[in-house]
Amino acid sequence: QGRPAQVLRLIPGFIAVEHSGGAGKADQYFLRGFDADHGTDVAFFIDNMPINLRTHGHGQGYTDLNFIIPETIQGIDVVKGTYHAEFGDFNTAGAVRFKTREVLQENVVQGAGGQFDTQRYLLMLSPTREKVRTLFAADGYYTNGPFEHDNRYFRFNVMGKATMNPTVRSEFSVTGSYNKANWNASGEIPFRKVTDGTISRFGAIDPSEGGKTEHAIGRMEYHYDTPSNGRFFADAYLMYYKLDLFTNFTYFLDNPVNGDGINQQDQRYMYGGNLGYQHAGELFGIRSAATAGFQVRNDSISNIRLGTQTTRVPTGTIVQSAVDETSYSPYVKLELQPLPWMRVVGGLRADYFTFDVRNLCDTCPEQPAGTKNSGQVNPKANLILGPWFNTEFFVNYGTGFHSNDARSTVVGASTPLARAQGTEVGVRSKPWGPERLELLATFWWLDMNSELVFAGDAGTTEARGPTRRYGVEVGARGQIYGPFYVNGSFTWTHAQFKDGLAIPLAPDLTAFTALIMRWPEGLSSQIQMTYLGVRNLTEDRTVKAPSWLVFDLTERYQLPIKLSHGRLEAFLFVQNLLDSNWEGATFSFASRLPNEPAGGVQDIHFVPGNPRFFMGGMAWYF
């Protein structure tokens, strides 16, 4: 489908779903008992650039991955929990780093089409592969979706990257990318109006929802390997970002005449970088590696606004601010191997934040303004024992945090940096050999001193009290036998506020399985199963979101056609193979439609998952 968030399902325990009845917005992310909303408790990076946006107009840590062209990703580094010193803000449930390719072995031109007027076109080239390794990629995507009111979702991405070696010991790369998208959305619809037949599952109450967004990004990375087993590394990034989002969660609850439509705007520059040194050698006769680094980041937000609107026509401003938010983050990490069967990793990270909020609207009902500074020091520790019989055991401990919105921070409505403390014990094993199936089992727990929960009336999040989570994760990946490979995981989590109330939207059970079959004669098949369990939608546990189970199928076939240059591959993707009814984002809050009581009706509001969907195409590799 060309959605980068789909790749995240390959991560054990990670679920990503569409959030607004029409692609374009950031997905909703679930991991380790967190409804991380759009990214509040999962840190995302592309190469070494952070993607989560602080003090965002639609929610803290907002992470829109649609600027990434999936085929440019070489690999994904994933860590769970708060145990790694190189990751800071938003690294509570885990961190995900996309690594982009340097060069292609084969160029590719690809075209695909499917139901609901869906089209996608991709071009990827490596014009040079020797002294300078280059990569150019562009993709265009359009769909109307299964909704009665067409999504008209259009996305365009372009990316260029050049990598070179100024000396035999150094490497330098520069990357530029641009993304632009616009869409209509059917929004989160009320369950009561689907059950009484007023609208269908793919209908809308306010079809004027939607938005547009833009990213322009430049990144540079450099490292130099010293003759004495050291590495100096440095990188820098600059991003221009803009979002204009129109939503209507509660319909006519607050404004019976013009409706409750809201407009959220965000315009900013984000820039920063990393600088550090790593050295491998021996310390008192013990194999060791030490890393010291310093990270700095600034979000210069020229306009962050929440206003009212009717059918995308502005009707007022609730709050409008300019924000400068900066963090300075030194960290150190020491890895030791005192015994052949023991490795120890210790780390310490410090983060110092400055928040500066300026009010831009003297007539607004909300006028947050002021400055605030805050800091935290977080220790990290990892112990790995083994391997014995291709099996190793590990124990991890660490503290971390997510930052909160600068506007609520400077007025004292929330803690600037919400601390998390986590521990896990687990085992990794390859009982049938290093090239075969890998098994993983982990038991973990995590406490947070401030939780962000969804606020339906504003479409944003608000700070709540301390929470506790613990759970079990088991997984398997690798070759089963011959052409059969598997990647699967199952997670169980218990999550609640420390006063005993449920954390809304936190999933208890998630599961994912991908079975890959690499047949002879150029055919490969993959069938995926994704399961999201029942979730409490209210703190008193009286309203729940139903579980869902979806199967997807992918077929790829290398055509036996003799070409003078290159090869052809055909592919077919079937989403929701069994045509199940399922729900993506699901919430419980009060809304009001015409002729309903003035106080509104408490109800489930949901985004329907796609019905069975076919998409196929052809790729030319040359």
Side-chain angles (χ1 to χ4, degrees):
Q1 275 192 299
R3 282 184 59 225
Q6 289 283 57
V7 179
L8 298 173
R9 293 188 182 184
L10 298 174
I11 301 169
F14 207 119
I15 304 288
V17 298
E18 287 188 20
H19 201 275
S20 61
K25 219 168 90 175
D27 281 50
Q28 182 179 9
Y29 307 111
F30 297 95
L31 180 65
R32 285 202 165 180
F34 278 91
D35 161 33
D37 193 47
H38 296 300
T40 306
D41 289 289
V42 182
F44 289 89
F45 300 83
I46 183 161
D47 296 323
N48 291 316
M49 186 192 85
I51 304 175
N52 305 65
L53 296 178
R54 299 167 173 168
T55 309
H56 186 270
H58 186 64
Q60 182 67 352
Y62 186 88
T63 303
D64 178 3
L65 300 177
N66 289 302
F67 72 92
I68 299 174
I69 301 174
E71 290 83 355
T72 64
I73 300 303
Q74 178 175 299
I76 306 176
D77 293 332
V78 181
V79 298
K80 309 282 183 63
T82 57
Y83 319 122
H84 301 270
E86 58 267 45
F87 302 117
D89 201 2
F90 308 115
N91 174 215
T92 48
V96 177
R97 178 163 56 193
F98 297 95
K99 297 173 67 177
T100 57
R101 300 178 186 272
E102 288 184 0
V103 68
L104 301 171
Q105 298 307 311
E106 297 178 292
N107 302 322
V108 61
V109 176
Q110 178 178 300
Q115 292 173 277
F116 319 129
D117 303 316
T118 304
Q119 303 172 58
R120 182 172 183 248
Y121 304 96
L122 170 71
L123 171 66
M124 291 207 305
L125 304 170
S126 280
T128 59
R129 297 184 173 94
E130 301 299 330
K131 292 183 178 180
V132 178
R133 302 176 294 283
T134 54
L135 171 65
F136 172 81
D139 87 335
Y141 182 79
Y142 180 86
T143 187
N144 280 325
F147 303 93
E148 293 177 8
H149 302 276
D150 291 347
N151 286 155
R152 298 183 182 178
Y153 172 41
F154 172 75
R155 182 189 73 223
F156 172 73
N157 288 326
V158 63
M159 170 194 163
K161 182 175 182 178
T163 307
M164 64 202 76
N165 299 93
T167 68
V168 294
R169 293 188 174 275
S170 63
E171 184 174 275
F172 174 75
S173 72
V174 58
T175 306
S177 66
Y178 178 75
N179 157 266
K180 191 175 182 66
N182 53 71
W183 66 95
N184 297 332
S186 292
E188 294 151 13
I189 57 175
F191 184 70
R192 63 187 182 275
K193 290 302 171 183
V194 177
T195 54
D196 71 11
T198 302
I199 60 173
S200 75
R201 283 175 54 82
F202 299 101
I205 299 297
D206 184 351
S208 70
E209 294 193 33
K212 56 185 177 180
T213 190
E214 187 176 7
H215 296 75
I217 299 170
R219 305 194 302 273
M220 292 187 295
E221 295 178 82
Y222 174 80
H223 71 255
Y224 172 76
D225 296 327
T226 70
S228 56
N229 294 324
R231 169 170 285 193
F232 170 80
F233 57 90
D235 58 79
Y237 54 82
L238 169 66
M239 176 171 73
Y240 170 77
Y241 170 83
K242 189 175 183 180
L243 175 71
D244 200 7
L245 186 66
F246 300 90
T247 47
N248 186 349
F249 294 94
T250 51
Y251 316 127
F252 295 94
L253 181 65
D254 298 322
N255 189 329
V257 177
N258 296 318
D260 299 347
I262 59 173
N263 176 211
Q264 293 163 314
Q265 296 177 333
D266 191 295
Q267 185 171 357
R268 73 178 68 202
Y269 285 96
M270 180 188 78
Y271 53 90
N274 307 276
L275 185 68
Y277 180 75
Q278 182 180 50
H279 190 85
E282 288 196 353
L283 182 66
F284 305 114
I286 298 172
R287 285 183 59 189
S288 65
T291 305
F294 182 77
Q295 301 168 354
V296 63
R297 169 179 170 177
N298 177 263
D299 287 69
S300 180
I301 309 167
S302 59
N303 179 48
I304 181 170
R305 176 184 175 274
L306 171 64
T308 55
Q309 55 89 14
T310 302
T311 61
R312 301 200 186 187
V313 177
T315 57
T317 301
I318 299 169
V319 58
Q320 187 170 13
S321 310
V323 178
D324 270 298
E325 184 172 342
T326 308
S327 64
Y328 308 91
S329 309
Y331 69 93
V332 292
K333 183 168 73 169
L334 180 63
E335 304 171 60
L336 299 172
Q337 188 166 5
L339 296 167
W341 49 267
M342 177 187 289
R343 286 174 288 151
V344 180
V345 183
L348 194 66
R349 180 185 178 92
D351 291 273
Y352 183 76
F353 277 68
T354 64
F355 305 90
D356 182 3
V357 179
R358 301 179 302 282
N359 176 46
L360 299 180
C361 177
D362 293 333
T363 59
C364 287
E366 296 180 24
Q367 299 180 31
T371 60
K372 194 159 191 172
N373 302 329
S374 184
Q376 244 186 51
V377 177
N378 292 296
K380 321 278 184 175
N382 316 99
L383 173 65
I384 303 99
L385 302 175
W388 299 291
F389 304 103
N390 296 317
T391 301
E392 64 181 20
F393 302 87
F394 57 88
V395 180
N396 298 324
Y397 168 81
T399 62
F401 70 97
H402 71 237
S403 62
N404 281 330
D405 191 295
R407 292 168 296 178
S408 63
T409 290
V410 298
V411 298
S414 67
T415 305
L417 308 178
R419 186 183 291 273
Q421 179 174 254
T423 309
E424 71 179 16
V425 294
V427 58
R428 280 184 291 261
S429 181
K430 295 183 177 181
W432 297 283
E435 303 302 321
R436 297 292 298 276
L437 194 66
E438 180 184 50
L439 306 177
L440 170 72
T442 309
F443 175 68
W444 59 271
W445 56 96
L446 186 139
D447 290 350
M448 285 198 67
N449 68 4
S450 177
E451 189 85 17
L452 293 185
V453 297
F454 179 78
D457 55 348
T460 56
T461 51
E462 58 187 24
R464 273 282 273 113
T467 59
R468 170 162 291 171
R469 290 173 170 83
Y470 55 85
V472 175
E473 181 177 285
V474 295
R477 63 181 178 183
Q479 185 181 29
I480 305 173
Y481 175 78
F484 298 99
Y485 297 76
V486 70
N487 181 3
S489 65
F490 171 85
T491 62
W492 171 83
T493 304
H494 179 77
Q496 66 180 37
F497 289 101
K498 289 191 176 179
D499 59 12
L501 295 176
I503 303 173
L505 306 177
D508 290 340
L509 298 175
T510 62
F512 173 83
T513 301
L515 179 63
I516 302 103
M517 295 150 282
R518 295 174 180 164
W519 309 106
E521 309 301 331
L523 177 66
S524 66
S525 306
Q526 177 172 312
I527 186 162
Q528 294 181 184
M529 179 216 74
T530 307
Y531 174 81
L532 182 63
V534 173
R535 289 153 287 145
N536 291 303
L537 295 181
T538 56
E539 295 179 6
D540 62 6
R541 299 180 173 85
T542 57
V543 184
K544 299 180 185 293
S547 62
W548 51 260
L549 179 68
V550 172
F551 290 87
D552 300 329
L553 175 69
T554 304
E555 299 282 354
R556 306 191 78 91
Y557 180 57
Q558 188 167 318
L559 296 173
I561 299 174
K562 299 292 184 181
L563 298 177
S564 59
H565 195 61
R567 60 187 178 89
L568 290 176
E569 184 178 78
F571 55 88
L572 172 69
F573 173 72
V574 186
Q575 186 184 39
N576 193 2
L577 184 66
L578 303 182
D579 201 21
S580 306
N581 281 348
W582 62 288
E583 290 76 39
T586 309
F587 305 95
S588 177
F589 52 85
S591 63
R592 180 177 182 266
L593 295 165
N595 303 318
E596 289 186 335
V601 178
Q602 190 76 21
D603 197 5
I604 292 175
H605 300 73
F606 70 95
V607 174
N610 278 350
R612 185 188 292 122
F613 168 73
F614 291 88
M615 186 171 181
M618 190 84 70
W620 175 34
Y621 295 89
F622 60 97

